[in-house]
Amino acid sequence: MTRAYIIKNKARMVLALAVLTAMLLLANWNGRDNVKELDKTLTSIMNDRLLPATFVHEISNRLYENKLATASGTDSRVTINSNYAAIEVLAKKYEATQLTREESAKWKAFRTQLRNLQKQETDKNNAEFVFAQALKSLDQLIAIQVGESNRLLQSGQRNVSSSILTANFGAVICVVLGLFIMVLLSAREQMILRHDERHLLN
């Protein structure tokens, strides 16, 4: 066995090992990216969809409480003012979340309706119309939240599928790498045995 042949075989082995190692590192890197994206998606579902939906629901409840307080008439001003203050706190929290373009437009419309409702509570007929419009805007905002949540969930499912595929690919590469190392060790043993046999024959 010539020296050039041995060097050529070693070079091939090193190249094959380098390729397998690079594939394994690439699979690991891709898997980490998928996990980061999944974490980002889950955080967005929580912070930008579920929490804002609870804010919208609470605002709706406060508006209904104001309507009932106005109908009862007894000390209603204190309750109404307290509810509007609470609504403003919830509105600020809602505005601090990530809003889509459609969501921003609907929210802007609701803000206008809310201001009009505060100004026109003395006119019961007009207040009823503005109240209905404000609730409609809130319902539309909830619908947007549901749609965006579904979109994020689908994105999360794609990331999970990709992560599973990457993990399986990494496992296959590990098995191939292990087999390759076993073949190398076996070939090395055979070469040593042949060298020993030749030495004994001499």
Side-chain angles (χ1 to χ4, degrees):
M1 190 179 289
T2 65
R3 184 177 178 79
Y5 182 77
I6 292 170
I7 291 171
K8 189 177 179 182
N9 276 345
K10 282 184 177 179
R12 284 178 181 170
M13 290 175 192
V14 168
L15 181 63
L17 278 171
V19 169
L20 287 171
T21 303
M23 289 172 73
L24 190 59
L25 288 172
L26 185 64
N28 181 51
W29 178 69
N30 188 48
R32 290 173 71 179
D33 275 356
N34 286 336
V35 169
K36 284 180 184 176
E37 280 299 315
L38 184 59
D39 181 60
K40 186 179 174 182
T41 299
L42 293 174
T43 302
S44 184
I45 289 173
M46 179 64 186
N47 295 337
D48 299 321
R49 299 300 148 213
L50 293 179
L51 283 177
T54 63
F55 300 153
V56 170
H57 182 70
E58 182 61 24
I59 289 170
S60 180
N61 285 344
R62 296 281 183 173
L63 290 178
Y64 270 113
E65 282 180 19
N66 280 359
K67 187 177 181 182
L68 292 172
T70 302
S72 68
T74 310
D75 297 328
S76 62
R77 201 69 251 167
V78 175
T79 302
I80 289 169
N81 289 339
S82 174
N83 280 333
Y84 277 130
I87 286 170
E88 189 58 33
V89 171
L90 290 165
K92 293 293 183 188
K93 288 180 179 179
Y94 186 90
E95 288 164 357
T97 64
Q98 187 178 350
L99 305 177
T100 64
R101 187 178 297 176
E102 184 186 7
E103 198 176 1
S104 294
K106 293 292 180 188
W107 180 254
K108 190 176 178 181
F110 169 73
R111 273 298 216 173
T112 302
Q113 291 155 357
L114 184 63
R115 283 193 298 271
N116 291 339
L117 190 60
Q118 286 177 277
K119 290 175 185 175
Q120 297 170 8
E121 278 180 339
T122 52
D123 181 1
K124 289 186 178 179
N125 293 327
N126 199 32
E128 187 67 34
F129 173 76
V130 178
F131 177 80
Q133 290 298 308
L135 287 183
K136 185 179 177 182
S137 292
L138 290 174
D139 287 342
Q140 288 170 340
L141 285 166
I142 288 287
I144 291 170
Q145 295 293 342
V146 171
E148 284 298 307
S149 295
N150 287 335
R151 185 187 64 77
L152 287 169
L153 282 172
Q154 288 171 3
S155 174
Q157 287 169 351
R158 284 194 296 272
N159 281 331
V160 168
S161 298
S162 180
S163 294
I164 291 169
L165 188 64
T166 301
N168 289 339
F169 177 74
V172 169
I173 294 298
C174 283
V175 169
V176 171
L177 195 58
L179 290 172
F180 190 74
I181 289 168
M182 285 175 67
V183 168
L184 285 178
L185 291 173
S186 176
R188 178 82 177 149
E189 257 180 38
Q190 287 176 4
M191 286 175 66
I192 290 168
L193 287 172
R194 284 176 188 170
H195 178 73
D196 289 347
E197 285 173 4
R198 282 199 300 271
H199 182 71
L200 288 172
L201 287 173
N202 291 336

